[in-house]
Amino acid sequence: MLEQLGSLADSPWIYVIVGLSVLLDVFLPLLPSGVLVITAATAAAGSAADAVGDAARQHAGFSQLCALVLCAATASVLGDMVAYRLAWRGGDRFDRAISRSRRLTAAQAKLGTALLRGGGPLVVVARFAPAGRSVVSLGAGVMHRRVKDFLPWSALAGLTWAAYSVALGYFGGQWLGASWLSTAVSFVALFAAGLAAAYVVKHPRHDEAQA
């Protein structure tokens, strides 16, 4: 996979693949969009590392990383807004769909309450938690939150997540080389961030819980 993505690193197709994966995982949280972003960043880091002494190729490698961040962040926001709009128009249907999953129902209860109280930073934290992005985006739509209250936090969440994921892939590729080991280590770091985010969501600070 690394070799395949490495060959695509100089092609616009890499952004199409990453963008579609990130956009769709708001509806299909099982899609490995985070792994894909990390792997693409690792491949780009490997290309940049191979270009030692070639300033032009190194600059191109860093430009690819920046474009990857922008692509993933933009796709994240677009996916959030599509989910938000669909839930706004069909709140009852989405409520019934969420109610079929105890995990999503519990997450909606916690995230929805905080979001309703204006807990914007929770949108950023939830972006890293498993299924958190889905629940927040759909919950904001079901509760008819205003776009100006949701969109800025969605943009910040998408940019933070994308930058973190690309940074993991880049530094992993720089330190360990463009290999499965670097991808695995980077994925573990992303997974750890997800666990930490899930803990924060499930155990809000006392002052936030009483807000």
Side-chain angles (χ1 to χ4, degrees):
M1 185 175 180
L2 279 171
E3 293 179 357
Q4 293 174 336
L5 287 175
S7 64
L8 286 172
D10 296 324
S11 167
W13 283 109
I14 188 63
Y15 305 112
V16 174
I17 295 170
V18 168
L20 285 176
S21 176
V22 175
L23 189 151
L24 293 175
D25 79 357
V26 69
F27 302 104
L28 301 170
L30 294 179
L31 282 178
S33 59
V35 178
L36 186 59
V37 172
I38 287 175
T39 306
T42 301
S47 299
D50 292 340
V52 175
D54 189 334
R57 286 184 61 194
Q58 285 185 326
H59 178 74
F62 287 117
S63 297
Q64 290 170 355
L65 291 171
C66 293
L68 188 59
V69 171
L70 182 61
C71 172
T74 301
S76 178
V77 176
L78 288 177
D80 287 355
M81 294 309 298
V82 170
Y84 166 83
R85 285 299 185 186
L86 288 176
W88 181 293
R89 296 177 180 178
D92 292 339
R93 289 193 297 273
F94 279 99
D95 271 343
R96 288 195 295 271
I98 289 175
S99 67
R100 298 191 188 104
S101 169
R102 288 190 302 174
R103 181 182 178 186
L104 289 178
T105 300
Q108 185 187 43
K110 292 178 179 295
L111 295 174
T113 300
L115 189 64
L116 187 62
R117 292 170 175 167
L122 188 68
V123 177
V124 179
V125 176
R127 182 61 181 85
F128 291 83
R133 174 193 179 198
S134 302
V135 174
V136 166
S137 300
L138 295 173
V142 169
M143 292 184 290
H144 288 190
R145 296 289 294 175
R146 295 178 300 179
V147 173
K148 68 177 183 179
D149 291 334
F150 175 66
L151 180 57
W153 291 107
S154 171
L156 179 60
L159 181 60
T160 302
W161 175 84
Y164 179 73
S165 300
V166 170
L168 287 179
Y170 171 74
F171 288 112
Q174 288 289 307
W175 294 335
L176 300 174
S179 65
W180 280 110
L181 176 60
S182 64
T183 303
V185 171
S186 299
F187 175 69
V188 169
L190 182 64
F191 183 71
L195 290 179
Y199 179 84
V200 171
V201 169
K202 292 179 180 179
H203 301 85
R205 294 183 307 173
H206 180 73
D207 57 337
E208 290 178 345
Q210 298 298 323

